[in-house]
Amino acid sequence: MKNITSFYLLLLFVCLGMQVRVQAQTNQLHGRVLDATSKKPLPFVTITNTANKKASQKSDADGNFSMAVTGRSTLLFSYVGYKSHTVNVSPADTGITVTMETDISGLSEVVVIGYGQQQKKDLTSAVASISGKELSEMPVTNINSALQSRVPGVQVTNGGFEPGGGTNIKIRGINSLTEGSGPTYVVDGVIMTGDIREINPYDIESIDVLKDASAAAIYGARAAAGVVIITTKKAKAGRASVDYNGYYGIQKISRAYDFIDAKDYANLRRVALSDEDPVAWPLNDPKTDSVVFSPRELQSLAAGKSYNWVDAITQVAPIQSHTLSISNGIGRNKVYLSGNYLNQGGIIIGSNMKRYSVKGNMESSVTDKLTMGLNTNISHIETDGVSKNVYYNAVTMSPLRPIYDSTGKPLVEVDPSSGRISADNPVALAKDAINHSVDDRFIGNLFLEYKVIAGLNFRSNLGLDVYKNQRFEYYPRNTYDGYAPLGVAKVQNFGYRDWVWENTLTYDYNPSENHSLNILGGYTTQKRRQEYNFEQASGFPTDELTYKNMSLAARRDNISSDYWNRVINSFLGRVIYKFKDRYIFNVTARYDGSSNFGAENRHGFFPSVSGAWRLIDEPFIGFKMKSFVNDAKIRVSYGVVGNQDIGYDRIYTRMDAAAYPFNGSTQSTGYQLGGNAGNSALKWESQRQFNAGFDLALHSSRVQLTFDFYNKDIRNLLLDQALAPSQGFSNKMINVAAMNTRGVDIGLKLYPVKTPNFDWQVNLNWSKYKSKITALLPGRDSLSPTLKVGEAPNSLIVDYVYDGLYQQGDDFKLNPSGRPGDIKVKDINNDGVINPYDRTIVGRTTPKGWGGVWNYFRYKRVSMTVFATYMYGHDVYDKAYTDYLYLGGGRNVIVKEGLKYWTPTNTNTDVPRPNAFGSSLRMLPQGSSSYATEKGDFIRIRDITMSYDFSPDLLSRIKVRSLRAYVQVMEPFLFTSYRGIDPEINGNMDPSVRADIYPRYRTFLLGVNLGL
């Protein structure tokens, strides 16, 4: 009986086992992963079976996947930028469609920091990021232009609007009084400074801006002006693709002055001369006209002709860009290649810029432990520029002066009294003068990474930046500069070779669930060799050969050259410690040694410390609170960074060429000590910066706020100290000055509407800072009208105070020879005399705030972006407009508002009497007053884009991965009370910016993005 019972029990277990085996049978599951909003396929999504994590796989390029599942299983779908999604499948399921929603919090995004990466949620310092996709939304020729008003705390101004014009970028205000060339750029590990227009914006994966000293201290002596890390695109693992991005458009002047016509101009000139002596030069008298106008102008008057000089030198200019990229990430070798052609015509004739660039990024997994890679960017840029006098001459040229002579060539008029051209014809200057430059640049790095043991990685990176610039100028005989000398040629060559070798060890140590450490240590060395030479010659037998044969010149006017080397060696280290993933500490240190400084102060130490508290992850933040507050983090940091950008020879006393008498008659060439005394005790300009901020996300992360307050103490600033003549030198550079900058950066991201058919996203940012000099030279609180203790450096507008116009019956004791209708300025010190002591601060160019507002709207497959920038609370020195308003000598053309000048019957005006010799303006000893200072507040709509994404069904039929077409207008609207052309010009008193040099333009584009 016992044996029978045992038999039946055994039979029962076998049957149950067979049943379980049947229930746990394996079936093949097919599926597709789509974006929940656009319904586009998501390529290379990671799919993990929670019961067998080793069996995870990725979807293909079209979002499809096929995997074996056993019984009932739970699949986890994860993808960067999307919320993780789980799906339960049963044995009966053979096909599923999975939709994934975007993770708008962005906390899982990876941010590039110095020599490493961190998740956004773990950042302890002030780092701002912008993706390559966001950059490509606004086609620009320079990456910095795309950053304008997109990143809190980053201020970008245009160095000029001519094709290929550069930009000026400041991160958190002014960081030096005399030295520095903007932030340090790190492109795929290559440390570089200067312009970065050689890089195609479409090749960029992301830009991360290290704003505070804690984030930037890992770069030590090169981080005082901030650090911008640029990561270019690389092939995505397991994916092959071909992409084309191109656009074509036109550019037109966006805003122009409204000048008077030839008839009003002629009457105004007559009035101006008659005002000086109405008896000698009565109005409407032919003899007066013969004094006022040249013979050619009289001919134009008689014929009733008027000439538009601005139209003659401007044009509607084309612009086009084409980028083709190929990416292959299948297998052990990943390759990304792209080529770009950019051709930007100038709205002033004769100006143009062409850029050819090739990008190549390659990475190979040689073994499971060894990875090698090569990143390169090769560019060739050809730029044709025009003299800054072209536009200014065009807007100030008499509309009665003919543009061309009888043969159709630009008219050249010679003043017989001086033997020189009376006025540069801007058409001749634009068409016939040559200002051609060629830039060639190679940026690249070769790296290897080796996994020594689990968690320990070694990386060696060799970077190279090779740059060569050639500039060729020629001014022929029909230009002012080239007429008397019989042609002037200039040839300049400038170049450098900069290499950096970096070796780092990184160790990730996680002893328990609550503790994790990331330790970095490294050594770097960088060397730069720079060369420059210049030659100017004149007196050519013909203009035909221009600068191409300098040996034909009769005179060598200038020959100069320069050469120097610089080396910087560094040790660096960093420790990032996390406790329970909510307490994060970061300690960084760098020790730099630079050949720019003498042996006494050649080395500098730059430490930093920062911490973050992820308040949202605390247990006492309950479920109810977390349902509304999705992220809350507090950050505090303090660090020291330096500035090594000083003249390479400031520690040495220079020797200048000199001539010595020999035998009392002949001279012998030799050398003598230069005017500047060297100072071997020079040291770093150092900056100590404190930063406190917080990150907050609310309402399912549909409201995201970032706030930062910073305080920068900048010490040991360099200035030239004047020396007594007895010392034999004029000055000596010393570390003496100091300044302080405090500011606030705020970024706000909103998702007011997010539905399957309609999205609305808003990004806002606002920044402000206040700088003041706290020390200058010993015993001096002022070195110039714009450099004073207690004020921001070089931000003051100092001038006489405009006090209206003199009227009949006024007291003329300040201007005894004055008359009604003359300019009046205030006697500030009440000494009864108008002199330079009556100049005072009439404006400040530092804005009280600036920022941007980016709006994105999407309805199904149609989307629109509107991007606006703003600035307020600052003043602009608008000397150009004042010159065009007042007729007081010279040959200025007048804007229509200038016709409202003072007369005995029109006294309610601020435009003085026109006078041919400027007597009505003689109360302006410097030629201007506070009347030229205006509020620069503005709101500018920088970009409006409408785009259409073609449907997935159509794309699948034509075998295309993605296709987007768009139309775009850039700089469509400007709202401002500023009377000039552009309130975003430099706001200082530099004479070079007193006139408009190259007008701003509006761009209309048609573009397409195609993915295969």
Side-chain angles (χ1 to χ4, degrees):
M1 184 69 180
K2 184 177 180 180
N3 291 334
I4 295 175
T5 303
S6 298
F7 173 79
Y8 279 111
L9 287 174
L10 178 61
L11 182 63
L12 177 62
F13 280 123
V14 170
C15 292
L16 287 174
M18 293 177 62
Q19 183 178 4
V20 169
R21 185 175 180 183
V22 170
Q23 289 179 349
Q25 65 183 347
T26 300
N27 66 302
Q28 198 69 18
L29 178 69
H30 302 276
R32 198 178 193 196
V33 188
L34 304 176
D35 180 284
T37 301
S38 66
K39 298 300 187 280
K40 288 183 178 180
L42 294 179
F44 315 116
V45 176
T46 300
I47 307 163
T48 305
N49 189 331
T50 57
N52 183 13
K53 294 184 179 181
K54 293 183 179 180
S56 65
Q57 65 177 69
K58 293 180 181 290
S59 63
D60 64 17
D62 297 316
N64 299 314
F65 69 92
S66 177
M67 66 185 307
V69 294
T70 303
R72 295 185 177 276
S73 302
T74 300
L75 303 182
L76 174 65
F77 294 80
S78 56
Y79 194 60
V80 175
Y82 285 78
K83 295 179 180 178
S84 296
H85 185 68
T86 56
V87 175
N88 295 318
V89 294
S90 67
D93 293 326
T94 58
I96 61 173
T97 298
V98 179
T99 58
M100 298 185 68
E101 295 184 353
T102 55
D103 181 8
I104 61 177
S105 70
L107 295 178
S108 61
E109 293 177 1
V110 174
V111 176
V112 179
I113 58 176
Y115 304 96
Q117 296 179 337
Q118 266 189 299
Q119 283 191 313
K120 184 178 178 181
K121 68 183 183 66
D122 293 333
L123 288 174
T124 58
S125 51
V127 180
S129 302
I130 184 169
S131 68
K133 181 179 181 300
E134 292 173 299
L135 284 173
S136 63
E137 290 167 354
M138 185 180 299
V140 291
T141 60
N142 191 306
I143 295 170
N144 285 339
S145 298
L147 290 176
Q148 189 171 18
S149 297
R150 296 296 296 270
V151 177
V154 177
Q155 194 174 9
V156 180
T157 56
N158 288 285
F161 297 106
E162 65 271 22
T167 55
N168 303 311
I169 181 169
K170 291 188 294 188
I171 298 177
R172 291 187 164 181
I174 303 166
N175 297 288
S176 179
L177 298 180
T178 58
E179 308 300 323
S181 55
T184 293
Y185 296 93
V186 182
V187 181
D188 291 329
V190 181
I191 300 175
M192 48 192 285
T193 56
D195 203 352
I196 53 172
R197 63 176 183 156
E198 294 86 359
I199 300 174
N200 177 20
Y202 279 110
D203 286 331
I204 293 178
E205 183 70 28
S206 65
I207 295 181
D208 299 278
V209 183
L210 313 185
K211 297 191 293 183
D212 68 351
S214 173
I218 197 72
Y219 292 102
R222 288 165 289 200
V227 178
V228 179
I229 300 179
I230 298 174
T231 305
T232 60
K233 291 178 180 177
K234 297 173 178 59
K236 300 293 190 297
R239 173 180 176 181
S241 62
V242 178
D243 291 273
Y244 167 78
N245 297 283
Y247 60 81
Y248 180 86
I250 58 172
Q251 304 160 108
K252 301 176 66 176
I253 290 180
S254 58
R255 196 177 183 192
Y257 292 107
D258 191 7
F259 289 109
I260 60 178
D261 58 20
K263 180 180 178 182
D264 285 332
Y265 174 77
N267 291 334
L268 200 61
R269 290 277 299 275
R270 293 178 177 123
V271 170
L273 183 61
S274 182
D275 179 78
E276 185 68 20
D277 190 340
V279 176
W281 298 303
L283 284 172
N284 302 318
D285 185 278
K287 293 183 179 179
T288 301
D289 282 359
S290 66
V291 176
V292 174
F293 305 108
S294 70
R296 292 187 184 273
E297 288 180 311
L298 289 173
Q299 293 174 7
S300 298
L301 276 172
K305 291 185 177 180
S306 180
Y307 301 93
N308 192 321
W309 285 87
V310 173
D311 283 354
I313 58 103
T314 57
Q315 62 183 353
V316 175
I319 181 173
Q320 59 179 310
S321 175
H322 307 278
T323 300
L324 180 65
S325 62
I326 301 172
S327 175
N328 186 358
I330 299 174
R332 284 183 172 269
N333 301 312
K334 303 178 181 64
V335 179
Y336 174 86
L337 294 172
S338 80
N340 170 253
Y341 168 70
L342 170 69
N343 188 342
Q344 181 185 12
I347 60 172
I348 292 183
I349 58 174
S351 58
N352 180 266
M353 190 268 281
K354 294 179 181 178
R355 182 182 68 202
Y356 308 84
S357 67
V358 177
K359 179 70 181 174
N361 288 344
M362 288 157 274
E363 185 176 306
S364 176
S365 299
V366 181
T367 68
D368 291 340
K369 289 191 172 186
L370 178 63
T371 301
M372 297 184 67
L374 176 66
N375 303 314
T376 60
N377 190 93
I378 304 171
S379 64
H380 174 80
I381 301 176
E382 296 184 10
T383 306
D384 289 307
V386 294
S387 166
K388 65 181 181 181
N389 293 325
V390 169
Y391 186 70
Y392 179 75
N393 285 2
V395 298
T396 58
M397 195 70 75
S398 165
L400 296 170
R401 185 188 293 265
I403 301 172
Y404 303 99
D405 61 21
S406 58
T407 66
K409 295 181 179 180
L411 178 65
V412 176
E413 290 190 80
V414 179
D415 185 352
S417 62
S418 65
R420 300 186 69 91
I421 291 178
S422 56
D424 230 348
N425 187 319
V427 176
L429 193 58
K431 283 187 172 182
D432 299 328
I434 296 174
N435 190 339
H436 183 70
S437 66
V438 179
D439 295 84
D440 292 293
R441 193 169 192 177
F442 173 86
I443 305 169
N445 77 312
L446 177 67
F447 71 90
L448 64 85
E449 290 185 357
Y450 185 74
K451 298 178 181 178
V452 183
I453 58 174
L456 181 62
N457 290 335
F458 169 75
R459 180 183 174 99
S460 184
N461 181 86
L462 179 63
L464 188 64
D465 180 10
V466 181
Y467 175 73
K468 182 180 181 181
N469 167 265
Q470 296 174 290
R471 190 181 186 92
F472 309 98
E473 296 182 59
Y474 188 79
Y475 298 93
R477 289 163 170 78
N478 62 344
T479 64
Y480 183 86
D481 288 339
Y483 179 78
L486 301 179
V488 175
K490 302 176 184 179
V491 177
Q492 171 186 296
N493 288 280
F494 170 79
Y496 60 78
R497 290 176 289 281
D498 206 339
W499 62 264
V500 57
W501 187 27
E502 300 177 324
N503 297 277
T504 57
L505 275 170
T506 306
Y507 183 50
D508 288 301
Y509 179 57
N510 303 291
S512 69
E513 183 180 355
N514 290 332
H515 303 273
S516 69
L517 278 168
N518 176 271
I519 304 171
L520 169 75
Y523 169 79
T524 79
T525 182
Q526 184 173 9
K527 183 175 183 178
R528 183 185 184 106
R529 172 181 171 180
Q530 184 168 300
E531 300 168 347
Y532 165 84
N533 58 72
F534 173 80
E535 180 182 4
Q536 178 177 326
S538 61
F540 291 87
T542 175
D543 288 331
E544 294 299 319
L545 293 177
T546 65
Y547 58 83
K548 296 173 184 176
N549 192 341
M550 300 288 281
S551 64
L552 296 176
R555 294 173 297 276
R556 301 290 187 269
D557 301 320
N558 188 353
I559 296 177
S560 60
S561 63
D562 198 7
Y563 170 91
W564 57 266
N565 281 318
R566 181 182 69 195
V567 178
I568 180 170
N569 296 319
S570 312
F571 293 93
L572 58 96
R574 178 176 60 212
V575 177
I576 301 175
Y577 169 65
K578 290 196 296 183
F579 176 62
K580 293 186 176 181
D581 278 337
R582 57 180 181 266
Y583 308 107
I584 310 164
F585 302 93
N586 185 321
V587 178
T588 301
R590 184 168 182 133
Y591 185 72
D592 283 325
S594 173
S595 62
N596 278 10
F597 302 93
E600 302 173 39
N601 293 296
R602 182 154 290 168
H603 297 89
F605 180 63
F606 306 98
S608 76
V609 60
S610 60
W613 177 23
R614 288 197 52 76
L615 185 64
I616 190 65
D617 293 332
E618 288 289 355
F620 59 79
I621 304 294
F623 176 78
K624 192 171 184 180
M625 175 68 76
K626 286 186 176 181
S627 64
F628 178 71
V629 180
N630 311 110
D631 185 44
K633 181 176 70 173
I634 298 173
R635 296 174 280 103
V636 178
S637 69
Y638 181 83
V640 181
V641 290
N643 177 22
Q644 66 146 0
D645 286 333
I646 68 170
Y648 73 95
D649 60 348
R650 298 314 295 263
I651 63 175
Y652 305 109
T653 299
R654 295 193 59 156
M655 302 290 287
D656 294 336
Y660 294 90
F662 184 72
N663 293 332
S665 58
T666 59
Q667 287 188 337
S668 176
T669 58
Y671 299 92
Q672 66 180 12
L673 292 176
N676 298 328
N679 182 4
S680 61
L682 287 180
K683 56 186 176 181
W684 318 89
E685 293 186 334
S686 62
Q687 178 189 128
R688 291 159 172 79
Q689 183 177 167
F690 169 79
N691 189 94
F694 65 83
D695 304 315
L696 185 66
L698 308 172
H699 191 44
S700 300
S701 295
R702 293 175 67 169
V703 178
Q704 300 175 33
L705 174 66
T706 298
F707 173 90
D708 281 282
F709 165 80
Y710 60 90
N711 181 35
K712 298 193 297 184
D713 278 319
I714 309 173
R715 307 174 186 178
N716 301 318
L717 293 172
L718 295 165
L719 283 176
D720 279 322
Q721 181 182 36
L723 300 177
S726 60
Q727 297 194 29
F729 300 97
S730 58
N731 53 62
K732 177 181 180 181
M733 179 167 278
I734 60 174
N735 295 96
V736 64
M739 62 181 292
N740 176 266
T741 299
R742 296 183 180 185
V744 173
D745 300 336
I746 297 177
L748 180 62
K749 184 179 290 188
L750 304 172
Y751 295 83
V753 180
K754 188 170 180 61
T755 66
N757 288 330
F758 181 69
D759 280 352
W760 177 21
Q761 180 181 337
V762 185
N763 291 358
L764 305 97
N765 67 79
W766 176 80
S767 304
K768 72 168 295 182
Y769 69 86
K770 185 174 182 180
S771 294
K772 65 178 181 179
I773 299 171
T774 56
L776 286 170
L777 293 175
R780 301 282 299 274
D781 62 0
S782 176
L783 297 182
S784 73
T786 61
L787 207 59
K788 299 181 177 182
V789 170
E791 297 286 351
N794 302 314
S795 66
L796 301 178
I797 303 176
V798 178
D799 213 334
Y800 297 91
V801 177
Y802 175 81
D803 197 25
L805 303 179
Y806 280 105
Q807 305 293 337
Q808 292 179 351
D810 282 355
D811 185 355
F812 284 84
K813 66 179 182 179
L814 292 176
N815 187 9
S817 61
R819 294 158 46 195
D822 286 356
I823 288 282
K824 184 194 301 183
V825 297
K826 290 185 178 181
D827 180 15
I828 297 297
N829 60 358
N830 296 314
D831 63 354
V833 179
I834 299 298
N835 55 34
Y837 293 104
D838 294 309
R839 301 179 76 207
T840 188
I841 298 172
V842 297
R844 289 175 169 83
T845 61
T846 302
K848 293 182 179 178
W850 79 90
V853 181
W854 181 83
N855 277 275
Y856 170 80
F857 307 92
R858 181 195 61 83
Y859 177 70
K860 294 185 177 179
R861 289 188 293 274
V862 178
S863 62
M864 180 176 73
T865 60
V866 180
F867 178 46
T869 63
Y870 63 89
M871 188 179 292
Y872 65 91
H874 67 294
D875 301 296
V876 177
Y877 179 65
D878 190 12
K879 179 66 163 53
Y881 183 81
T882 306
D883 285 345
Y884 305 149
L885 188 68
Y886 296 165
L887 182 63
R891 53 187 174 87
N892 288 354
V893 179
I894 302 301
V895 292
K896 288 186 176 180
E897 288 83 354
L899 295 176
K900 301 174 183 178
Y901 56 85
W902 186 96
T903 67
T905 57
N906 183 38
T907 59
N908 187 24
T909 181
D910 52 14
V911 183
R913 306 179 343 268
N915 182 274
F917 302 98
S919 63
S920 60
L921 308 179
R922 285 176 187 157
M923 283 296 287
L924 306 179
Q926 303 295 323
S928 67
S929 68
S930 61
Y931 188 86
T933 300
E934 299 186 47
K935 293 295 182 185
D937 303 3
F938 70 88
I939 299 175
R940 186 188 296 276
I941 308 298
R942 290 198 64 206
D943 170 71
I944 299 177
T945 303
M946 291 284 294
S947 64
Y948 180 79
D949 289 280
F950 289 83
S951 68
D953 292 338
L954 173 64
L955 299 182
S956 63
R957 288 199 300 268
I958 62 177
K959 307 300 181 182
V960 170
R961 187 180 81 255
S962 62
L963 179 60
R964 172 179 175 262
Y966 64 90
V967 293
Q968 187 170 30
V969 56
M970 300 174 67
E971 312 277 358
F973 304 110
L974 173 65
F975 305 96
T976 182
S977 61
Y978 180 75
R979 296 177 297 179
I981 292 296
D982 185 11
E984 288 188 87
I985 64 171
N986 292 327
N988 55 35
M989 296 285 284
D990 186 342
S992 65
V993 298
R994 291 183 179 182
D996 300 287
I997 295 173
Y998 201 103
R1000 204 173 185 119
Y1001 48 83
R1002 182 173 295 126
T1003 306
F1004 302 88
L1005 296 175
L1006 176 64
V1008 63
N1009 307 129
L1010 173 65
L1012 301 177

